């Protein structure tokens, strides 16, 4: 997987940070999942290698404008750019009204099937490779966090062990790799499970919407390879963060530490902080959770 921060600011666009949007690209097929779609997200995409027609799922954390105002334009542009595959949008109650009203009033006609899913807590999507779980956070409006879990993969086929047991390469190896039980020419029955190494653990990526520090954040981030957590304010602004249902740099780091994540990226940075302030914000979080980086627009992370 590959993650691109398309917007890392809070509230409204700023000179160096656009409002929130994150793209998660699946390298096995090139498909892209978008998390939030703030104003001018499609402009940000123009500076990347992301193709709008490859976006097949959009997950909205909550319905504040800095997370959804870019959505109608992107949906229309995807159609103009020969996007014909179905697109699924997931989000809180109200996302359907927002999208359908925007498209109707602007007379935007899509060339692809658009499926809108108003979600509740739990597993909201699953396929043979991964699943995604949503939980409610602590924000002034309904806000969700998303936990993307890649399913464990079977271990490598133990070729040398097979050869030692007199089982030479051939079509049978594929059956054993799939864990099947097969009968050999000499009458022996063997199970592929006996010739596989340990399972390869899938990766976990947690992307949270706007929130105060809460238990749901920690649960969603448990043992994640990567946590993306808002840090709208610095450590000295805990009172105002609480008042506006947001988090500080230190609070984001505390979630990462308590959840046992491997890496933390802080984002959704208030425009009150100039570029010269960013290293200090990162330092504040690192004092609690050393493996922290402050995100910036167009940063690409290979997972």
């Amino acid at each position: 997987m590959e993650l691109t921060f398309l917007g890392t600011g809070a509230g409204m666009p700023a000179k160096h940070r656009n409002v929130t949007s994150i793209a998660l690209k699946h390298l096995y097929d090139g498909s892209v999942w978008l998390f939030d779609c703030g104003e001018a997200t499609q402009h940000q995409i123009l500076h990347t290698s992301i193709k709008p027609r490859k976006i097949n799922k959009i997950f909205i954390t909550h319905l504040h404008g800095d997370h959804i105002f870019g959505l109608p334009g992107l949906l229309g542009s995807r159609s103009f750019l020969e996007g014909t595959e179905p697109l699924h949008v997931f989000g809180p109650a109200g996302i359907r009204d927002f999208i359908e009203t925007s498209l109707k009033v602007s007379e935007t006609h899509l060339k692809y099937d658009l499926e809108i899913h108003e979600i509740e807590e739990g597993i909201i999507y699953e396929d043979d490779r991964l699943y995604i779980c949503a939980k409610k956070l602590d924000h002034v409006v309904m806000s969700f966090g998303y936990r993307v879990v890649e399913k464990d993969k079977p271990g490598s086929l133990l070729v040398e062990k097979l050869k030692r047991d007199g089982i030479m390469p051939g079509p049978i190896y594929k059956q054993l790799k799939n864990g099947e039980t097969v009968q050999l020419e000499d009458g022996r029955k063997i199970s592929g499970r006996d010739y596989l190494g340990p399972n390869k653990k899938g990766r976990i990526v947690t992307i949270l919407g706007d929130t105060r520090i809460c238990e749901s954040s920690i649960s969603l981030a448990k043992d994640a390879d990567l946590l993306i957590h808002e840090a709208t304010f610095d450590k000295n602004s805990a009172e105002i963060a609480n008042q506006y249902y947001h988090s500080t740099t230190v609070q984001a780091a505390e979630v990462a530490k308590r959840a046992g994540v491997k890496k933390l990226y802080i984002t959704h940075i208030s425009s009150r902080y100039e570029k010269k302030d960013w290293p200090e914000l990162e330092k504040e979080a690192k004092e609690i959770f050393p493996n922290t980086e402050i995100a910036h627009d167009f940063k690409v992370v290979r997972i």
Side-chain angles (χ1 to χ4, degrees):
M1 293 184 281
E2 187 177 86
L3 187 143
T4 302
F5 289 95
L6 296 170
T8 57
M12 61 183 182
K15 185 175 181 179
H16 297 292
R17 292 184 184 274
N18 195 50
V19 287
T20 298
S21 185
I22 299 166
L24 185 65
K25 183 176 182 180
H26 300 282
L27 300 180
Y28 65 87
D29 66 355
S31 64
V32 177
W33 291 3
L34 204 62
F35 291 82
D36 286 333
C37 189
E39 179 184 349
T41 290
Q42 63 174 320
H43 290 263
Q44 298 290 91
I45 287 174
L46 294 174
H47 299 282
T48 73
S49 62
I50 296 168
K51 295 177 173 58
R53 62 183 172 82
K54 298 295 288 185
I55 299 171
N56 60 17
K57 291 177 183 60
I58 300 176
F59 298 90
I60 300 298
T61 61
H62 64 292
L63 301 184
H64 277 159
D66 58 323
H67 295 256
I68 63 169
F69 281 170
L71 193 50
L74 177 64
L75 296 178
S77 293
R78 185 180 187 269
S79 193
F80 295 141
L81 295 170
E82 305 304 323
T84 56
E85 295 298 314
L87 174 65
H88 294 260
V89 178
F90 301 80
I95 190 64
R96 180 182 300 278
D97 284 347
F98 174 74
I99 292 174
E100 292 181 347
T101 299
S102 299
L103 297 180
K104 179 180 178 181
V105 170
S106 63
E107 298 189 17
T108 300
H109 304 287
L110 306 181
K111 298 176 183 177
Y112 55 86
D113 292 332
L114 177 64
E115 297 288 339
I116 303 171
H117 310 267
E118 295 192 332
I119 65 171
E120 294 291 341
E121 290 187 311
I123 295 175
I124 60 169
Y125 174 78
E126 183 172 10
D127 60 27
D128 60 343
R129 289 179 177 268
L130 43 76
Y131 64 89
I132 183 165
C133 179
K135 279 194 174 186
K136 297 175 184 177
L137 303 174
D138 185 11
H139 195 45
V140 68
V141 299
M142 181 68 71
S143 181
F144 283 97
Y146 295 110
R147 178 180 172 92
V148 182
V149 181
E150 186 179 46
K151 295 179 180 179
D152 292 349
K153 299 177 182 177
S156 300
L157 191 64
L158 302 177
V159 175
E160 293 306 316
K161 182 179 179 182
L162 285 165
K163 290 180 179 178
R164 286 196 302 270
D165 290 347
I167 306 163
M168 294 297 108
I172 193 175
Y173 274 26
K174 183 176 181 181
Q175 294 173 272
L176 295 171
K177 174 66 176 174
N178 293 333
E180 298 175 23
T181 297
V182 298
Q183 185 168 359
L184 305 178
E185 291 182 0
D186 61 11
R188 285 183 294 162
K189 287 186 177 181
I190 62 172
S191 170
R193 289 176 293 181
D194 295 330
Y195 292 93
L196 293 176
N199 283 351
K200 298 176 182 177
K201 186 167 177 56
R203 291 154 291 189
I204 300 171
V205 178
T206 299
I207 301 174
L208 303 181
D210 293 2
T211 185
R212 296 192 291 200
I213 189 169
C214 63
E215 290 301 319
S216 291
S217 298
I218 297 165
S219 174
L220 286 167
K222 182 69 174 174
D223 298 326
D225 293 271
L226 181 63
L227 167 62
I228 299 171
H229 196 301
E230 70 125 295
T232 309
F233 297 104
D234 64 43
K235 69 178 183 179
N236 296 318
S237 302
E239 185 175 343
I240 191 171
N242 185 68
Q243 180 182 349
Y244 287 102
Y245 288 79
H246 284 294
S247 297
T248 67
T249 53
V250 167
Q251 289 168 342
E254 288 173 348
V255 170
K257 183 177 180 178
R258 290 176 61 186
V261 307
K262 294 180 181 176
K263 180 78 176 185
L264 168 65
Y265 281 95
I266 53 174
T267 187
H268 201 266
I269 309 299
S270 171
S271 59
R272 68 174 59 192
Y273 303 108
E274 299 178 9
K275 195 170 184 179
K276 63 181 177 60
D277 301 318
W278 298 351
E280 182 60 28
L281 296 176
E282 183 177 271
K283 180 182 176 183
E284 290 177 359
K286 280 186 169 182
E287 289 173 351
I288 303 296
F289 188 78
N291 199 15
T292 298
E293 285 189 40
I294 187 170
H296 59 77
D297 289 16
F298 308 120
K299 183 173 183 62
V300 178
V301 179
R302 191 73 172 257
I303 308 167

